[in-house]
Amino acid sequence: MPFDMTSSNVTFNAEIKPLYDESGNEIDPSIARGVYRQDTNEAIAACGPSTHLIQHHQILNPVLNALADLDFKLEERSVNRDNLYDLQGKKGAWIQYETTDNGALMRSTIITGDFINPTGSTTYLDQGPDVNFFRIRVLNSHNGKFAARVDFDYLRLLCMNGMTSTVYGANLYGKHTAGFKIEGMQAKIESAINNMHTDADRFGLYATTPLTYEEASVFLRATIAKKLPVKWERMAKRREVSDKHDKIMTLFEQESQTVWGLYNAMTAWQTHGEMMQNTNSITGRISRESTIRKALNAPQWHQLMAA
């Protein structure tokens, strides 16, 4: 289902009330309850007996307030490749509100004018400057599809990849069965922006470290596309692992033959790669981010840099 850009879908309040079956009988609340929009009284999700609602605005507002306190000029704008160059280098932040399932799922993206160009060049593979904007993503759901979270990473303008970072300890995560604490948001955002200097140096090293096709393949086989046990040989999971390797290597061939090129190939697969059937696109990409983050922290990745 396409995402709705209407910001009212992130400002409404939801509440938990009894859930009814098709015959109008109340379902045992120890089995399931309903999540309803207070503004329309529409049921938008079912939840379990231990769920605690986190309103979309309860997680969004502290982020926006923190940016305002840091003197960022906030605007609601569509985040796309055509207009982001206008933001580059400015003390501003653009936010794109997105919801689906009548507001049950929320994914909002905030881009600031802070950026990294790891190659230092005005063009990368004849495609223009390789600009990577600082990004904050705020996610929440009322239907249990994913936990409430605030993530910090980058958005690569050339291909609109989400650039997973291994540095940030500021990412916030909270299950709806345990609540969500977002104290000190301004300090976390400020720390994440300051960490850009660390990432700028790291990305610059990636861009100047050559990498052969064989070295990239060996790395993937040891991490993201690690060979599975023989007992899974006929299972779809084994085919999926092989598919990961081939798709990322195809993307790597289109990049510079450097560690930076492999990093971009992995994040391109993470952001744009086709999902398996019946996999929610948001939860699928969150899972892929976790996979890539583990790979970037693996000893094999550090060995690439030392080669």
Side-chain angles (χ1 to χ4, degrees):
M1 181 179 293
F3 274 76
D4 180 5
M5 285 288 293
T6 305
S7 58
S8 62
N9 263 353
V10 300
T11 58
F12 73 88
N13 282 313
E15 61 180 338
I16 295 176
K17 297 192 297 185
L19 189 65
Y20 297 89
D21 62 22
E22 294 180 354
S23 300
N25 300 312
E26 182 178 341
I27 296 174
D28 185 345
S30 67
I31 298 174
R33 299 176 296 167
V35 180
Y36 295 79
R37 292 183 63 134
Q38 287 186 349
D39 56 348
T40 64
N41 202 35
E42 293 175 276
I44 59 174
C47 66
S50 59
T51 296
H52 299 277
L53 285 184
I54 301 170
Q55 308 293 349
H56 297 330
H57 59 81
Q58 286 180 319
I59 185 173
L60 261 173
N61 285 343
V63 176
L64 301 181
N65 291 338
L67 286 167
D69 289 343
L70 290 169
D71 297 324
F72 281 92
K73 182 182 178 182
L74 296 170
E75 296 181 64
E76 184 175 352
R77 296 279 295 272
S78 178
V79 174
N80 59 61
R81 184 175 177 177
D82 293 333
N83 65 15
L84 274 173
Y85 283 111
D86 296 337
L87 182 63
Q88 184 175 335
K90 296 179 181 177
K91 188 67 173 179
W94 293 357
I95 180 167
Q96 175 175 302
Y97 301 104
E98 300 172 283
T99 62
T100 191
D101 294 354
N102 197 15
L105 279 75
M106 183 272 294
R107 178 184 62 185
S108 294
T109 301
I110 303 167
I111 307 291
T112 77
D114 300 283
F115 69 96
I116 294 173
N117 183 349
T119 67
S121 174
T122 57
T123 185
Y124 175 83
L125 301 180
D126 298 323
Q127 299 180 60
D130 199 356
V131 175
N132 298 264
F133 285 97
F134 180 66
R135 179 173 71 170
I136 305 170
R137 289 176 305 155
V138 185
L139 299 96
N140 190 37
S141 73
H142 293 318
N143 57 9
K145 291 289 181 65
F146 46 80
R149 58 192 296 143
V150 180
D151 289 338
F152 303 95
D153 61 5
Y154 299 95
L155 180 69
R156 189 188 189 203
L157 194 54
L158 282 181
C159 51
M160 300 301 283
N161 286 357
M163 308 298 284
T164 300
S165 173
T166 62
V167 173
Y168 298 143
N171 289 0
L172 301 170
Y173 175 91
K175 294 183 177 179
H176 290 88
T177 54
F180 191 76
K181 296 181 180 180
I182 46 181
E183 291 86 356
M185 181 63 72
Q186 179 175 338
K188 290 180 180 294
I189 292 175
E190 194 167 20
S191 173
I193 292 175
N194 289 337
N195 273 336
M196 286 186 70
H197 302 295
T198 301
D199 276 333
D201 294 340
R202 189 163 54 91
F203 288 173
L205 184 59
Y206 289 178
T208 56
T209 303
L211 191 67
T212 68
Y213 184 95
E214 180 62 26
E215 289 170 331
S217 178
V218 169
F219 168 76
L220 292 178
R221 293 291 190 199
T223 55
I224 294 174
K226 190 173 183 179
K227 189 174 182 180
L228 294 174
V230 175
K231 65 179 181 179
W232 289 358
E233 191 169 26
R234 294 183 178 86
M235 295 177 65
K237 192 73 174 176
R238 192 170 181 85
R239 293 194 299 271
E240 181 191 358
V241 168
S242 178
D243 196 41
K244 287 179 189 177
H245 171 273
D246 295 346
K247 287 185 175 180
I248 294 174
M249 290 305 299
T250 297
L251 292 165
F252 177 59
E253 290 178 321
Q254 302 167 21
E255 294 280 349
S256 64
Q257 302 303 284
T258 62
V259 173
W260 176 246
L262 179 58
Y263 176 59
N264 284 313
M266 291 190 297
T267 56
W269 167 77
Q270 162 203 314
T271 306
H272 304 296
E274 183 180 356
M275 293 291 166
M276 291 187 67
Q277 189 175 4
N278 299 324
T279 299
N280 178 274
S281 62
I282 304 176
T283 54
R285 302 203 195 291
I286 290 173
S287 175
R288 287 183 178 185
E289 286 175 26
S290 176
T291 298
I292 290 176
R293 187 170 288 112
K294 289 177 182 177
L296 295 175
N297 283 311
Q300 291 89 343
W301 183 257
H302 300 295
Q303 289 166 9
L304 292 180
M305 304 302 300

